[in-house]
Amino acid sequence: GGRGGREEKERVWDGEEPSCWKHVDEAELARRVREMRETRVVPVVPKYERKPSTLVKKGLNNLQSFPRGIECIDPLGLGIIDNKTLRLITDSSESSPSKADRDHVDDILREKLAYFSDKFDAKLFLSRIHQETSAADLEAGALALKTDLKGRTQQRKNLVKENFDCFVSCKTTIDDIESKLKRIEEDPEGAGTAHLYNCIQGVTGLASRSFEQLFERQAQAEKIRSVQGMLQRFRTLFNLPSTIRSSISKGEHDFAVREYRKAKSIVLPSHVGILKQVLEEVEKVMQEFRGTLYKSMEDPHIQLTDLENTVRLLLELEPESDPVWHYLNLQNKRIRGLLEKCSFEHEARMESLHKEIRERTLFDARWKQIQQGSGESLDYNGNGHLGVDSSPGTATSEEFDALREKYIRRLTAVLLHHIPAFWKVALSVFSGKFAKSSQVAADSNGNASVSKIEEKYSSHSLDEVAGMMRSTISIYEVKVLNIFQEFEESNILRSYMSDAIKEIARLCRALEVKESAPSLAVTALRAIYAEVAKTYILRLCSWSRTSTNELAEDETWVPVSVIERNRSPYRISYLPLAFRSILVSAMDQINAMLQTLKTEVAKNDDMFIHFQEIQESVRLAFLNCFLNFAGHLERIGSELAQNRSGIGSPRIPNGDSYESLDRSLDLPSGSINYPHQQLLMVLSNIGYCKDELAYELYNKYKHIWSQSRDKNEEESDKIDLIMSFGALEEKMLEQYTFAKAHLMRTGAMKYLLDAGVQWGAAPTVKGVRDAGVELLHTLVAVHAEVFAGAKPLLDKILSILVEGLIDTLLSLFDDNKSKDLRTLDTNGFCQLMLELEYFETVLNPYFTNDARESLKSLQGVLLEKAAESATESVENPSHHRRPTRGGEDAADDRQGINVSPDDLIALAQQYSSELLEAELERTRINTACFAESIPLDSLPAPAKSAYASLRGSLNSPSKSYRTTEAVNSSTIPRQRRR
């Protein structure tokens, strides 16, 4: 019906251009619009096909080989423009862009190269797109572009010409619709949009007033439904805090971490505040859980598996700091804390011991006060009248050293117990073991977790851990070296310091085991061990010097037994043996310590120089101890000599002063009381050190330093040491012989001047006088004294004293030749010559060349004096006569006869032949100490030959007699020795 009505109306319409919209054929209009749209997007390819060129074909042949959306046709028709690289692609170019062409092209450049853009730059287009296109191709492309432009212009003209009526009809229709709309809007009662809008607004206002409460309830219901839906949707999230707490309390830490990570991955609406509060609560719970995990790492007894699990959980929770490094720092701080704890406890123990010592001292002072019956009070601080000596004694210093040794043991035990475990954990961490554990336990997001873990591990290195441990060992080093300086030197031989060093050595050996400590820490500990060993050795050297100095202060002059001195011919006191004990004790411990250090030197070449320095220090200390001891012996001998030579001190018969005798009363029983014997003991001590002790100890300990010195240097040290004692021996020998020389001079004066003989009128020679035997007894006493005290020095001392005796007799004769010895008769001459021959025969083994020369000089002087006296007796006989009786008349008569020197020598020889052998036999007991050296069977002949040798010297003047006598009489001792 509708279709028929429309046809009827169309028949009414005249068929021209429609005047209203209802006369418009909508289908025809749609067809025409569609045709116009299709005409506008007609591709240009057919144009190229109609007028092809080789270049265009060349550029378009490969269009099918490029993916869609990455190319567009070149407007010049020379190829395809790659949309990514904005480069021209032709058949001759590469199908894939080069690395340089794949560089990023910014949007500004792309916009300038797009030929359909308003900002198109033709020059830039040609320079980039066609930078490799030839001029001929560009001309051909330009021609094709112009041809295309002309074709498009002609197409547009044909379109307008063919559809002109359509354009006019559309324009008319649009104008008609516009005019009708204006009329409707202008009519106030018409169905205009403004009228309709006002009506609708009124209806809406009325409905709002009627249904206002309903709308509010509906809005509330919608909100409730929205909240309910949200709660239902995020039900798991709201329960998450309690779920995580429950899992943590049950020990299901992995489940709690997984739930937390799920919650973190949820994308929440930004306007829902309650969800943020829930997540904040979850974060608070997990923060507490992190703190619990960190707190569990502080457990000193945590197992490695538990530590790995804790670290893995912390790494999955994405902490702000690396938990592994946090654990390593905790362990390092814990080790340092234990070291400091040891220090605090040591200080507390030391303070407690000080307090105990003060109380003990106070108690002793009070007890002493009670015993003395004093009524004075003594307060707690010991400020009473008696005073309290708070200085630590030997036992007290041992207690302090025991605490110091215990302190070093505790410090060493801390490192020994914790450093290996610490380093093994560090090696496990940085070898990737923890990261692997985390990777195994990771969930579906494990790859990202592992990469984060590796990033955490890369922030630190194993060298940093080694440096951390090195700084901790530095603290240990400071504490150990400081406490070593506090050890009492008096207790050096006790085991306190040596045991502490052994503990440090044990620590070094334990940490040298594989994977027990870094090499840096081991090197530092070796350096500490070398330093404390060096300190210990130097303290031993210092103690030996100090002990030597203290030893010389309390000489008791008690000779040791033959067994104690190992059958040494030197009768020594206990000083050399005590010195030997001190030096052996020190050197034995030094040797043991150096043997241990040698193993460390073999492991560490840097210690070799320090080891050589220690060896040199030990050598110098060893030699200096001997020199110091020699100096003390010299001081003791000098003091004895000085005390004996004091002027104005009364003397006892043996030559010692009464003051020295009084001092000797304070000495213990069995000690030597007389200074001469004490001086001889000093001489024996020196000889013992020179001949036995120095050789023994040097040969025993020279291996300590011999490695760094050649053989010549070793011999040089030994020679210098022996020469030092030799020089001291000579000095003390001079002091001793000087002291004995005084006694010899006194005996010589009694023998020559105070024996009651007037040498100008001497009695007949009957033998050796008692005075001569007494003079010899002085040497016998010296012989006995030296033989018992220093037998190796016997010959030397007696040789010196015999030479001194002859020189003394010669000196006394020269001094008294104008007084008591102004005349010497024949009997006196024969008497003295007999006794001198007697002395020479008895003391023959101890006569040196100088002594024989002095004896010859003395005999010559006596001969000269006797000859002068005989001449004067002949000239003045009245002055030399004296009453005689019996057999003495013949001898007295010879004094009045002119006697020549030859007669005097013959007479003296006669007396010697008659009396000398008998006198030697008579005094054999007196001179028994010299008996082993006396040739008894040849006595008469040597005596005769001795005096006969003097004859040849009488031909010279008397003034030159002494000189010739020294030459001509040299046969006397030589013949006697035969």
Side-chain angles (χ1 to χ4, degrees), residues 80-124:
I80 304 299
I81 300 176
D82 190 350
N83 192 33
K84 291 184 178 180
T85 63
L86 296 179
R87 298 288 185 182
L88 182 64
I89 302 175
T90 62
D91 290 339
S92 60
S93 63
E94 298 178 356
S95 59
S96 60
S98 63
K99 182 178 180 181
D101 295 338
R102 284 196 294 267
D103 296 341
H104 176 69
V105 180
D106 57 359
D107 295 337
I108 298 176
L109 178 62
R110 187 179 297 277
E111 189 174 5
K112 290 182 179 180
L113 294 178
Y115 52 83
F116 48 80
S117 174
D118 295 337
K119 298 181 180 181
F120 174 69
D121 189 344
K123 293 182 179 180
L124 181 62

Side-chain angles (χ1 to χ4, degrees), residues 812-825:
L812 289 174
F813 189 86
D814 289 338
D815 294 340
N816 295 275
K817 63 183 178 180
S818 59
K819 300 177 183 178
D820 296 337
L821 297 174
R822 61 181 179 273
T823 58
L824 180 63
D825 61 3

Side-chain angles (χ1 to χ4, degrees), residues 429-478:
V429 167
F430 289 97
S431 62
K433 186 175 182 181
F434 281 66
K436 291 179 182 178
S437 300
S438 301
Q439 186 175 2
V440 171
D443 55 5
S444 60
N445 297 326
N447 293 332
S449 176
V450 171
S451 64
K452 291 180 181 179
I453 292 171
E454 292 177 354
E455 182 180 358
K456 290 287 184 181
Y457 276 78
S458 63
S459 61
H460 299 282
S461 65
L462 197 60
D463 293 337
E464 295 182 59
V465 182
M468 182 191 303
M469 298 175 68
R470 176 66 182 89
S471 62
T472 301
I473 291 177
S474 298
I475 297 175
Y476 170 81
E477 177 182 5
V478 172

Side-chain angles (χ1 to χ4, degrees), residues 852-853 855-857 859-860 863 902 905 944-957 960-975:
R852 296 185 191 282
E853 295 298 328
L855 180 61
K856 293 172 185 177
S857 299
Q859 289 172 344
L863 181 60
D902 290 338
I905 293 174
K944 295 179 181 179
S945 61
Y947 288 107
S949 63
L950 295 176
R951 297 177 183 271
S953 63
L954 299 179
N955 298 324
S956 61
S960 60
Y961 178 78
R962 297 179 62 180
T963 304
T964 58
E965 183 68 17
V967 178
N968 297 330
S969 62
S970 60
T971 58
I972 299 175
R974 190 178 299 116
Q975 293 174 355

Side-chain angles (χ1 to χ4, degrees), residues 377-390:
S377 61
L378 186 68
D379 59 13
Y380 180 78
N381 295 324
N383 295 324
H385 178 71
L386 294 176
V388 178
D389 184 12
S390 62

Side-chain angles (χ1 to χ4, degrees), residues 905-930:
I905 293 174
L907 186 59
Q909 184 179 0
Q910 180 181 356
Y911 281 120
S912 177
S913 301
E914 295 174 355
L915 301 176
L916 181 58
E917 185 174 359
E919 291 300 312
L920 289 174
E921 181 64 24
R922 182 176 66 86
T923 60
R924 183 172 57 84
I925 296 177
N926 302 76
T927 61
C929 57
F930 311 118

